[in-house]
Amino acid sequence: MLIDRLAYGGDYNPEQWDDATIERDLELMQEAGVTVVSVGIFSWAFLEPEPGRYELGWLRSLVDRLHAAGIGVDLATATASPPPWLGRQYPETLPITREGHVLRWGSRQAYNPSSQVFRDKIAALVQTLANEFAHHPALVAWHINNEYACHVHESFDAETEGRFRAWLQAKYGSLAALNDGWGTAFWSQRLSAWDEVILPGLTPTYPNPGQVADYRQFCSDTLLELHLLEKEILHRANPDIPVTTNFLGLLESLDYWKWAKHVDFISNDSYPDPADPRGARSYAFEADLMRSLGGGKPFIQMEQAPNQVQWRERNAVKRPGQYALWSLQTVARGADGILNFQWRQSKAGAETWHSGMVPHAGSEARTWREVVGLGRQLTGAAAVLGGEIKADVALLLDWQNFWAQEAAVGPVEEKTALRGLRDWHASLFERGHVADFAHPEADLTGYRIIIVPSLFRLTEAAATRLREAVAAGAQVIVTFLSGWIDDAGHAVLGGYLRPIRDILGVRVLEMAPFSVVPYLPGTGEVLDPEIDRVSAAIVAPAAAPLVDLVDDFGAPWPGNAREGADDLAVDDERVQVVARFGGTDLAGRPAITMLPGARGSGAGWYVATNLDSRGRDTLLARVLDSAGIVEPGLPAGVSRTKRGPVTFWLNHTDEPVIVRGVTGRRCDTGESLAAAEMVLPARTAVLIED
Ligand code: GAL
């Protein structure tokens, strides 16, 4: 964004308000320290009331007024919510579900990403906006569309099918290559003409996994085409104005690594549930992800709720202080701005009961006081602007891996990689560490620890990167369900993990799931040994929810195995066994192994199960120690993050906490502290500048 302060503000939807309210809004924005608002996100119907007739005067006057009030404008391209006339006059622009239902206007995001008519219409609208505003002095950024794929990311229609075929032709080059890639030699699926290639619609049973995985990438790429179409128009009009589109955390349907290359800065929308004590953790996860998507550069928190949302079954409020505390945690992890949805709470429509920075009750409400309070804290934290953060730990993340694992029919239903990323990030968060995310094929040699949660699809290039990282001294932790398929999406033969056996020293011969809910049609009766003379004598350990772990002497190892246990082949005699399975048919077999790197201090750790939180924490403590990383060792509920010259002290608890050895200048009061004790009030962030 083109501003020299931390951004603070929110979505501003003034179409809902009269002139006097807008005038009051400008005063209130100044009172709250607002520096930027996002305007026009849902304005298409007002900007183009009928096809080809544009009315931009109202927007021009609003942008002028914001500018006069010293507030920057993140101007949306308004393409996220087509007006009713578009769907009525051009039904081909409406998306069709897998079941064949048309999604009609009356909500939002009702567009078919493949529709050429839709593409032509947005191009014309965006060009019109660019002509009018590209050189307006208020403009600090362009906000393309809004939350692509939040509601709709696909359409099952002929136009999309045609684009899917063309996409596959470009990827495979020939039908023979496609047949080979998808493994159509099985189940008589051999395709003999391109016209036989169809979208993965409704099928009698499992669709082809290769087709489904490709389709997911195609959907992400198709939406990216829409983004690029708009971006090119905007950049042509004025290349100096940065563009963004707001991401949605770890959204499964868009390959954000690919998208991130096509925005000038990363922005994100984040809505953790305040009813869940894991809310701060979840915010931290998204902040770390966004910073990483931007290659370590600052990002903008484009949306969050000033207080409660309206779309959960029951919508918890943020507790007093949490709004600022969580926002500043996001700044600590790399945000250069905090924006909310939305500035003024709506008085009608679908989001009437979603909080706004200006609540229905006005400035008497707690929300408003907290909004003003955060504005002040952000003003005081100016020194953080542009500051970068260096993480020692990276978690490997790849959308193609998610899609390949989800498209696979077995070996387990759970989204292991997605969940593994959250679990391992949580373990780092709880110990007070910031982590980066990285693509498995990126250069990893700067990291001291690399965690690879369930990288089911392990490419040759990723194997090379991991090898380089261990050679450079990194501790690499690979977890179960990694290395099952190769670049082509085909099963790895000769033992899973084979491509990285040299750094781990082990391969997986078989995986035995447990926590299995037995599939026994027609019987719920408990077995009675006196009657069920055969069945009651059969032991079925697969149903056990957990399996304990032991050390080499058979003593309990802290933590349990969940979901499955690999039967490992140990190929290298230097492999050290850290923990073994206690129960199951694999009792005594290795559950966690470590192979020291050939040179330097690196090592390859393998976790042959899904560890519970205690198990992850135990292992992490050991690996952090091996990597020589100093642990923060802070009181429970307190975290500390350094960004640029500013140290963020966060107290998440309900009690004041005393911390010691704090030196520097308090950003809020200006007071100088020298090795003093500092009291962190309950649910508060205190910022100290060096
Ligand atoms: C986002 C969306 C906003 C608003 C918000 C409410 O998904 O971009 O427009 O609807 O949710 O939480």
Side-chain angles (χ1 to χ4, degrees):
M1 275 194 181
L2 296 176
I3 60 167
D4 53 7
R5 290 168 290 169
L6 290 173
Y8 186 45
D11 280 26
Y12 188 33
N13 298 303
E15 304 90 317
Q16 308 169 96
W17 305 109
D18 61 16
D19 204 63
T21 311
I22 293 175
E23 208 44 48
R24 177 78 185 122
D25 279 338
L26 296 174
E27 288 164 18
L28 289 172
M29 284 178 194
Q30 287 172 324
E31 186 180 330
V34 164
T35 57
V36 177
V37 287
S38 303
V39 178
I41 292 176
F42 303 118
S43 299
W44 190 344
F46 282 76
L47 293 169
E48 191 181 0
E50 52 187 83
R53 186 171 67 77
Y54 297 100
E55 278 184 8
L56 305 190
W58 67 272
L59 184 58
R60 157 70 72 168
S61 122
L62 180 84
V63 171
D64 289 346
R65 283 163 86 177
L66 285 163
H67 182 56
I71 294 161
V73 174
D74 166 48
L75 189 57
T77 56
T79 53
S81 194
W85 60 254
L86 188 78
R88 191 165 70 89
Q89 295 192 32
Y90 305 96
E92 66 272 44
T93 63
L94 297 171
I96 299 176
T97 66
R98 195 179 294 264
E99 294 75 25
H101 303 301
V102 178
L103 302 179
R104 308 212 308 159
W105 59 92
S107 177
R108 63 177 182 183
Q109 223 175 65
Y111 59 80
N112 169 1
S114 290
S115 159
Q116 190 56 48
V117 172
F118 178 71
R119 292 178 180 209
D120 294 345
K121 295 288 175 200
I122 61 171
L125 173 64
V126 174
Q127 187 64 63
T128 306
L129 287 169
N131 294 345
E132 181 79 11
F133 294 105
H135 295 277
H136 196 289
L139 196 60
V140 298
W142 285 108
H143 181 114
I144 296 183
N145 199 278
N146 190 62
E147 291 188 343
Y148 280 108
C150 173
H151 311 301
V152 175
H153 70 280
E154 61 185 356
S155 176
F156 289 83
D157 62 280
E159 209 168 350
T160 306
E161 199 152 79
R163 287 190 194 271
F164 185 43
R165 259 174 225 146
W167 186 94
L168 290 166
Q169 278 164 344
K171 174 171 176 180
Y172 289 98
S174 72
L175 204 53
L178 180 125
N179 273 309
D180 183 51
W182 287 6
T184 59
F186 192 57
W187 276 10
S188 184
Q189 291 178 352
R190 186 146 215 91
L191 297 154
S192 55
W194 280 104
D195 284 351
E196 289 167 8
V197 176
I198 55 174
L199 296 169
L202 294 180
T203 45
T205 180
Y206 311 112
N208 179 292
Q211 178 196 23
V212 172
D214 274 341
Y215 174 71
R216 303 280 305 262
Q217 180 78 57
F218 160 78
C219 289
S220 173
D221 287 357
T222 303
L223 282 168
L224 183 56
E225 283 174 14
L226 296 186
H227 171 80
L228 290 175
L229 183 159
E230 294 197 22
K231 180 189 166 181
E232 272 150 29
I233 295 170
L234 300 171
H235 266 192
R236 243 193 342 262
N238 184 352
D240 296 334
I241 304 295
V243 305
T244 193
T245 185
N246 42 348
F247 290 168
L248 269 165
L250 188 54
L251 183 71
E252 284 178 55
S253 49
L254 301 183
D255 181 347
Y256 281 151
W257 287 124
K258 208 165 174 182
W259 280 69
K261 296 188 191 123
H262 300 291
V263 292
D264 296 320
F265 63 94
I266 302 285
S267 60
N268 186 49
D269 299 353
S270 197
Y271 290 93
D273 190 347
D276 187 341
R278 297 166 200 82
R281 176 200 277 188
S282 165
Y283 253 125
F285 179 94
E286 295 203 4
D288 284 356
L289 175 58
M290 294 303 138
R291 186 187 66 248
S292 305
L293 286 169
K297 299 223 171 55
F299 62 95
I300 295 288
Q301 178 83 356
M302 189 58 90
E303 279 185 32
Q304 57 171 22
N307 197 338
Q308 69 210 122
V309 300
Q310 97 293 17
W311 40 263
R312 294 195 174 101
E313 214 169 304
R314 297 184 72 77
N315 302 293
V317 293
K318 285 186 174 163
R319 300 193 52 218
Q322 256 173 2
Y323 167 67
L325 176 65
W326 290 1
S327 300
L328 290 165
Q329 180 186 271
T330 303
V331 176
R333 288 176 181 253
D336 262 1
I338 299 289
L339 278 70
N340 297 278
F341 180 87
Q342 61 177 324
W343 165 253
R344 181 180 281 278
Q345 188 170 6
S346 294
K347 65 174 180 198
E351 307 205 67
T352 304
W353 312 113
H354 189 291
S355 57
M357 294 168 81
V358 182
H360 284 156
S363 50
E364 280 172 82
R366 168 168 72 90
T367 301
W368 175 251
R369 287 195 298 280
E370 298 213 9
V371 160
V372 174
L374 178 60
R376 278 204 203 103
Q377 276 195 285
L378 289 173
T379 307
V384 88
L385 189 74
E388 296 196 5
I389 293 154
K390 157 113 190 49
D392 292 318
V393 186
L395 294 145
L396 300 195
L397 174 162
D398 176 14
W399 271 266
Q400 290 195 43
N401 177 52
F402 301 152
W403 300 334
Q405 198 235 316
E406 286 169 33
V409 186
V412 294
E413 270 295 296
E414 293 90 357
K415 300 180 178 187
T416 48
L418 270 170
R419 201 199 34 203
L421 282 162
R422 289 197 185 275
D423 286 350
W424 284 93
H425 185 275
S427 300
L428 289 160
F429 171 84
E430 300 296 345
R431 293 189 79 90
H433 296 283
V434 169
D436 280 354
F437 293 88
H439 189 278
E441 295 177 7
D443 178 5
L444 304 170
T445 51
Y447 292 107
R448 288 152 84 181
I449 297 180
I450 296 157
I451 304 180
V452 190
S454 300
L455 193 63
F456 187 68
R457 175 179 175 273
L458 179 68
T459 62
E460 283 297 331
T464 305
R465 292 309 202 177
L466 290 172
R467 201 165 289 127
E468 286 166 4
V470 173
Q475 309 288 318
V476 171
I477 307 176
V478 179
T479 82
F480 95 134
L481 278 167
S482 290
W484 283 53
I485 63 172
D486 60 17
D487 297 56
H490 296 173
V492 169
L493 306 180
Y496 311 130
L497 287 180
R498 202 169 49 80
I500 47 169
R501 68 195 285 194
D502 55 328
I503 57 172
L504 299 179
V506 296
R507 282 168 302 131
V508 175
L509 303 179
E510 282 173 355
M511 192 272 285
F514 42 88
S515 315
V516 176
V517 179
Y519 179 67
L520 284 179
T523 167
E525 280 185 329
V526 174
L527 295 174
D528 179 341
E530 286 176 18
I531 295 154
D532 304 305
R533 293 172 183 81
V534 175
S535 302
I538 295 175
V539 179
L546 291 174
V547 168
D548 60 327
L549 296 168
V550 294
D551 67 16
D552 254 352
F553 306 102
W557 191 85
N560 286 297
R562 299 180 301 172
E563 290 168 20
D566 292 330
D567 187 5
L568 295 184
V570 178
D571 293 334
D572 191 315
E573 59 190 17
R574 293 173 308 133
V575 166
Q576 297 170 21
V577 177
V578 177
R580 297 179 184 275
F581 292 110
T584 84
D585 293 336
L586 293 177
R589 306 276 298 143
I592 304 175
T593 59
M594 192 274 280
L595 177 67
R599 290 162 284 153
S601 57
W605 304 71
Y606 183 64
V607 181
T609 185
N610 184 12
L611 285 177
D612 64 3
S613 58
R614 185 171 296 278
R616 292 194 306 274
D617 190 64
T618 306
L619 180 60
L620 261 183
R622 182 157 165 187
V623 178
L624 285 158
D625 185 50
S626 302
I629 295 175
V630 182
E631 303 241 43
L634 293 166
V638 173
S639 67
R640 182 187 61 209
T641 307
K642 179 122 204 269
R643 180 175 169 212
V646 179
T647 303
F648 292 69
W649 287 90
L650 311 175
N651 177 7
H652 293 275
T653 75
D654 270 16
E655 303 296 333
V657 177
I658 295 174
V659 288
R660 297 194 168 76
V662 183
T663 53
R665 193 186 66 86
R666 274 186 77 131
C667 291
D668 50 356
T669 60
E671 181 194 350
S672 282
L673 305 165
E677 282 188 354
M678 181 175 69
V679 179
L680 297 174
R683 293 189 303 275
T684 304
V686 176
L687 278 55
I688 308 285
E689 200 177 327
D690 289 345

